[in-house]
């Protein structure tokens, strides 16, 4: 049930990876809360679907979060269309399919490292770089999508875990450097029912679990015994993007079923 409305009234957000999964749920809720949204995503098909579902409050641009110029184009489009930028949500990401380190050849490590770290880490860095001049004008906010894998082992394999730990470090350092102008926070997701893509060079080794198997495996790993849907996380993004969290920077909201209180057993 939606319990607050209008928390983002009059605000403009750029959301990377907003054409599916968690990103799309954030788009939906941000619009509900009164925001205008510009989505940067690499998938033409998903963007076409998104465009058909929303009116003037959502615009989109096809681009690659790994490139500064595509991030810059998204920011420019948002400002040209809506007049300003208040919030950047960094969310575009890919996964390593839980590939174990011992099973990775050096060649696959080289290829998959570039694929995963470029999107998950460089994409976040360049997203902030592109948005910074506009965010500074409005005392804006940045919200990182991070993960249980930003804190604990076995939320992925070594490459995904390294990338999500790196995102956490970026978030903290940016919160330090960009204060007092910009607040920077993150939402750490637990296992969520999306079709998070696997890095191209790891796909030959990856067999996607069925949705039912995934629900069981996610539920078995957290104290609340739940699998998460994208919608379960979006209120945390609204809070961190809104003026209701004016005193919060450099923090993570863990939206993961309680991974931090699993205990020793
Ligand atoms: N699903 C989970 O269990 C889970 C858990 C923890 C964290 N996360 C994180 O949540 C975020 C969103 O993932 P999701 O689960 O919603 O998956 P998803 O695949 O549905 O969403 C990711 C989106 O990013 C886009 N994208 C991928 N590469 C891109 C690029 N180079 N440039 C621009 N867009 C690109 C995809 O097209 C897609 O729309 C990711 O950062 C992921 O690491 C997911």
């Amino acid at each position: 049930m939606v319990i607050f409305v209008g928390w983002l009234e009059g605000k403009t957000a750029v959301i990377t990876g907003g054409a599916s999964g968690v990103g799309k749920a954030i788009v939906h809720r941000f619009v509900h809360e009164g925001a205008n949204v510009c989505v940067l995503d690499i998938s033409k098909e998903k963007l076409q679907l998104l465009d058909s579902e929303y009116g003037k409050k959502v615009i989109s641009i096809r681009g690659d979060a790994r490139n500064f110029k595509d991030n810059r184009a998204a920011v420019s489009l948002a400002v040209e269309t809506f007049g300003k930028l208040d919030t950047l949500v960094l969310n575009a990401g890919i996964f390593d399919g839980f590939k174990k380190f011992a099973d990775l050849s050096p060649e696959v490590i080289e290829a998959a490292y570039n694929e995963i770290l470029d999107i998950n880490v460089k994409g976040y860095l360049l997203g902030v770089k592109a948005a910074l001049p506009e965010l500074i004008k409005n005392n804006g906010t940045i919200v990182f999508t991070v993960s249980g894998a930003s804190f604990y082992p076995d939320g992925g394999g070594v490459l995904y875990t390294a990338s999500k730990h790196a995102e956490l470090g970026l978030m903290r350092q940016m919160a330090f450097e960009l204060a007092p102008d910009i607040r920077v926070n993150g939402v750490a997701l637990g296992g969520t029912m999306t079709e998070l893509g696997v890095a191209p060079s790891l796909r030959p080794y990856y067999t996607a679990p069925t949705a039912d198997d995934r629900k069981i495996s996610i539920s078995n790993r957290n104290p609340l015994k739940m699998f998460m849907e994208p919608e379960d996380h979006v209120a945390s993004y609204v809070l961190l993007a809104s003026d209701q969290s004016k005193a919060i920077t450099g923090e993570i909201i863990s939206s993961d079923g309680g991974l931090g209180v699993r205990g020793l057993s």
Side-chain angles (χ1 to χ4, degrees), residues 187-211:
V187 183
L189 316 181
T192 306
M193 299 306 293
T194 69
E195 293 180 5
L196 180 59
V198 169
S201 56
L202 294 174
R203 283 179 205 154
Y205 313 99
Y206 180 66
T207 308
T210 65

Side-chain angles (χ1 to χ4, degrees), residues 136-210:
I136 282 176
K137 292 179 190 169
N138 303 310
N139 285 114
T141 56
I142 302 172
V143 188
F144 281 52
T145 294
V146 300
S147 169
S150 299
F151 298 91
Y152 317 111
D154 207 26
V158 282
L159 294 174
Y160 185 72
T161 301
S163 76
K164 288 293 171 183
H165 271 61
E167 289 174 357
L168 181 61
L170 283 185
M171 187 282 290
R172 288 189 169 137
Q173 183 66 22
M174 285 182 178
F176 170 73
E177 290 190 20
L178 302 183
D181 300 309
I182 295 171
R183 295 189 297 109
V184 188
N185 294 287
V187 183
L189 316 181
T192 306
M193 299 306 293
T194 69
E195 293 180 5
L196 180 59
V198 169
S201 56
L202 294 174
R203 283 179 205 154
Y205 313 99
Y206 180 66
T207 308
T210 65

Side-chain angles (χ1 to χ4, degrees), residues 102-146:
D103 301 330
L104 285 166
S105 70
E107 295 74 23
V108 172
I109 290 177
E110 285 181 348
Y113 177 94
N114 289 336
E115 291 162 358
I116 294 170
L117 276 286
D118 272 8
I119 296 176
N120 294 8
V121 184
K122 190 170 81 175
Y124 279 23
L125 268 172
L126 294 176
V128 176
K129 194 71 194 169
L132 201 51
E134 295 299 330
L135 291 175
I136 282 176
K137 292 179 190 169
N138 303 310
N139 285 114
T141 56
I142 302 172
V143 188
F144 281 52
T145 294
V146 300

Side-chain angles (χ1 to χ4, degrees), residues 198-234:
V198 169
S201 56
L202 294 174
R203 283 179 205 154
Y205 313 99
Y206 180 66
T207 308
T210 65
D212 283 346
D213 284 349
R214 200 143 182 261
K215 286 177 182 173
I216 292 166
S217 122
I218 294 170
S219 307
N220 282 340
R221 293 166 66 143
N222 66 69
L224 295 182
K225 298 292 173 211
M226 63 182 291
F227 60 89
M228 281 140 271
E229 298 288 354
E231 294 72 22
D232 294 328
H233 307 300
V234 295

